[in-house]
């Protein structure tokens, strides 16, 4: 019936001040439409306990008593399967797999963030692409077309500029290099194909673990 765009909503990325401000913007928008009878919000980073705390405060201020904060993976799963048994394998900047069986049991696998996990994600692809470039520059890695694609895409010319790019922003800057792996793989680049192979194994492991824990049959 209506649509509005407010911006990034992951507390771990935007911080508590911006997260609180976003809730103020969202609840103000809802208030313009009338009395909010129920609200379900799906977002990344909901495992952070402060998400529930700050959301509860925002809901109290807005006078919304019937609400739930869910992970974006739960929203995606329900949107894809409408409550039917199955799994959703999600690979964006991060990676996660979640699922539900016929008994209503829910599991999630992965989604632990780029510092300790997120195998097969856009971040992982981008990180491995940048790593392949610096390894070739050092003389400890094979030659790869990524050493041409990455500098051209990111607008860098020296190793120092690559370091400044990699450590000068959030994880989305690293994930932005992920499409270059696909481009290089399409050209038959061996390093890019290996990166893709590792990513595929990581993602398949997520799905296999979720399906096994739920007792889902293949098919």
């Amino acid at each position: 019936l209506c649509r509005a765009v407010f911006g990034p909503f992951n507390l771990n990325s935007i911080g508590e001040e911006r997260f609180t401000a976003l809730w103020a913007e969202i609840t103000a928008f809802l208030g313009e439409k009338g009395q909010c009878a129920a609200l379900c919000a799906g977002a990344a980073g909901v495992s952070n306990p402060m998400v529930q705390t700050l959301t509860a405060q925002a809901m109290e201020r807005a006078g919304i008593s019937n609400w739930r904060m869910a992970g974006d993976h739960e929203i995606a799963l329900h949107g894809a399967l409408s409550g039917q048994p199955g799994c959703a394998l999600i690979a964006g900047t991060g990676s996660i797999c979640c699922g539900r069986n016929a008994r209503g049991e829910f599991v999630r696998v992965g989604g632990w963030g780029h510092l300790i996990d997120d195998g097969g994600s856009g971040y992982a692809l981008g990180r491995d692409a940048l790593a392949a470039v610096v390894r070739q520059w050092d003389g400890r890695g094979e030659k790869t077309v990524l050493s041409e694609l990455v500098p051209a895409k990111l607008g860098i010319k020296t190793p120092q500029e690559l370091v400044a790019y990699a450590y000068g922003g959030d994880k989305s800057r690293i994930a932005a290099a992920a499409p270059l792996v696909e481009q290089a793989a399409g050209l038959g680049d061996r390093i890019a194909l290996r990166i893709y192979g590792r990513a595929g194994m990581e993602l398949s492991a997520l799905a296999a673990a979720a399906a096994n824990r739920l007792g889902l049959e293949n098919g």
Side-chain angles (χ1 to χ4, degrees):
L1 298 180
C2 62
R3 177 186 177 93
V5 178
F6 296 94
F9 198 65
N10 187 334
L11 174 63
N12 298 326
S13 299
I14 66 175
E16 293 183 13
E17 182 177 351
R18 182 56 187 149
F19 185 79
T20 299
L22 271 172
W23 263 132
E25 295 173 21
I26 293 168
T27 53
F29 170 79
L30 294 174
E32 295 171 358
K33 305 302 176 184
Q35 180 63 36
C36 182
L39 174 65
C40 179
V46 297
S47 57
N48 184 332
M50 285 304 299
V51 169
Q52 298 293 336
T53 299
L54 295 174
T55 300
Q57 294 171 356
M59 295 300 101
E60 184 176 0
R61 286 191 293 267
I64 301 173
S65 59
N66 186 13
W67 62 273
R68 182 184 175 221
M69 193 77 192
D72 55 350
H73 53 286
E74 292 185 65
I75 301 296
L77 177 67
H78 188 81
L81 301 178
S82 299
Q84 295 299 309
C87 293
L89 175 62
I90 305 167
T93 302
S95 62
I96 190 171
C97 184
C98 64
R100 193 180 305 276
N101 60 23
R103 297 184 297 275
E105 297 169 333
F106 176 85
V107 302
R108 59 165 277 178
V109 179
W112 302 115
H114 68 291
L115 292 180
I116 58 175
D117 194 31
D118 279 354
S121 66
Y123 176 87
L125 289 171
R127 177 203 60 211
D128 290 352
L130 299 185
V133 172
V134 297
R135 284 175 177 275
Q136 180 184 325
W137 286 349
D138 278 348
R140 56 192 171 104
E142 293 182 40
K143 184 177 180 180
T144 170
V145 71
L146 288 167
S147 64
E148 301 172 9
L149 297 177
V150 168
K153 172 68 176 180
L154 304 184
I156 61 176
K157 297 180 180 179
T158 67
Q160 291 74 22
E161 290 177 345
L162 179 57
V163 171
Y165 175 88
Y167 294 98
D170 62 21
K171 61 184 179 181
S172 65
R173 302 187 76 181
I174 306 298
L180 301 179
V181 181
E182 179 182 6
Q183 186 177 346
L187 296 173
D189 185 82
R190 290 193 301 175
I191 297 298
L193 290 170
R194 288 176 192 168
I195 293 173
Y196 253 175
R198 287 197 299 270
M201 292 293 289
E202 292 280 1
L203 294 177
S204 65
L206 289 176
N212 180 63
R213 288 173 59 187
L214 290 168
L216 298 177
E217 297 180 357
N218 296 328

